[in-house]
Amino acid sequence: MAARTFLGTLRLALLLAVLAFVALGAWLDRSRSTDWDAPLRVTVYPVAHGDDAATRGYVAALTDEDFTAIGAFFAAEAERHRLALQEPVRVRVSHAAGTPPLPPGGAGMLGIAAWSLRFRYWAWRVAMDDPLPTPDVQVFALYHPTGEGRPVPDSVGLSKGLMALAHLYATEVARGSNQVVIAHELLHTLGATDKYDRGSGLPRLPDGLGDPAQSPLYPQDFGEIMAGRVAVGAREAVIPDDLDVMLVGPLTAREIGWRP
């Protein structure tokens, strides 16, 4: 009995030690990623969803040049918020990843936590096998065929582990909106919170509007990147075609360390 009690206590102590180590690592990663003393190295891993030949061809052809708008967006917004770093985000592309583990449908908190650990371990293995230097943030861009006729699953960005899983469309028509999704999830990894109402999907007032002081208030000329849409009316918002009409609002800037 005493031996079993000792082993149980030992297992509990080891588990607590592992959890403490993981928590410390996540805190250190988060601190380093938002001190903005050097460009944040972001690797985008394009992955084709399924066996559709057109989707696989589209993904295989993607290069760094296809994601330059993301770096330009962060540079322009950082300058607007008077960040001293001229190139806050440096994006590169790697084709070294396979299909990532997907979140389990309908799982509870324990299921999501277990998936998060699997995802983090899988992403670590990808980074270790990638010939490119280890990134600060990993974005796994999962491209879906455009002819499926149904919406893609929700994307997710994890601040613990600095990883994101972005569900996108494999077509040039969606290139701009895909970049909005990537920028949104990238900001989630840095600690930014959503600025939209989860029930309606509409931008939340006032933080979800590009300019809460605009008069008349609608239609908004710009959208807050963490709202994901541009409000054109009190009960209507549109998905942006590109990052040119999106910006980083004051609250998001504070959350990621761009403002005191």
Side-chain angles (χ1 to χ4, degrees):
M1 179 68 71
R4 285 198 296 269
T5 301
F6 172 76
L7 289 175
T9 303
L10 180 61
R11 283 196 293 267
L12 178 59
L14 289 175
L15 177 60
L16 291 175
V18 170
L19 291 176
F21 178 78
V22 171
L24 177 61
W27 180 81
L28 290 173
D29 286 342
R30 171 79 181 277
S31 298
R32 286 195 296 266
S33 66
T34 55
D35 56 16
W36 303 109
D37 60 352
L40 194 68
R41 297 170 301 177
V42 178
T43 297
V44 175
Y45 298 89
V47 179
H49 182 269
D51 296 323
D52 179 69
T55 301
R56 289 187 174 275
Y58 180 87
V59 168
L62 292 172
T63 68
D64 293 356
E65 296 299 317
D66 294 294
F67 300 90
T68 54
I70 297 173
F73 168 77
F74 278 95
E77 288 302 290
E79 181 180 12
R80 193 171 64 84
H81 285 285
R82 300 182 180 179
L83 190 72
L85 189 63
Q86 292 184 347
E87 187 187 19
V89 170
R90 185 175 296 163
V91 181
R92 57 196 171 183
V93 169
S94 171
H95 291 274
T99 303
L102 301 179
M109 292 182 62
L110 288 178
I112 294 298
W115 165 77
S116 175
L117 290 175
R118 286 200 308 274
F119 186 28
R120 291 169 66 179
Y121 175 71
W122 180 86
W124 174 78
R125 290 285 301 272
V126 170
M128 292 300 99
D129 295 337
D130 194 343
L132 289 177
T134 303
D136 298 309
V137 180
Q138 294 171 284
V139 177
F140 298 96
L142 194 57
Y143 284 85
H144 295 252
T146 58
E148 290 185 339
R150 58 179 181 269
V152 297
D154 290 337
S155 301
V156 60
L158 303 177
S159 59
K160 293 180 179 179
L162 298 177
M163 305 173 307
L165 176 60
H167 290 279
L168 312 171
Y169 288 107
T171 173
E172 280 300 300
V173 175
R175 180 199 290 260
S177 57
N178 286 342
Q179 291 171 339
V180 172
V181 173
I182 292 175
H184 178 100
E185 299 306 332
L186 172 56
L187 282 164
H188 268 316
T189 71
L190 304 178
T193 59
D194 284 322
K195 307 296 186 300
Y196 60 85
D197 180 80
R198 292 193 176 275
S200 66
L202 294 173
R204 192 177 67 227
L205 273 64
D207 300 317
L209 300 181
D211 182 6
Q214 178 181 299
S215 181
L217 189 59
Y218 302 109
Q220 287 277 302
D221 295 326
F222 294 90
E224 217 284 349
I225 185 66
M226 297 311 295
R229 300 186 180 213
V230 180
V232 295
R235 300 180 182 273
E236 184 181 1
V238 296
I239 298 174
D241 291 330
D242 53 52
L243 285 166
D244 290 343
V245 295
M246 305 304 285
L247 51 77
V248 174
L251 179 56
T252 299
R254 286 195 295 272
E255 291 172 336
I256 65 172
W258 281 6
R259 282 188 163 194

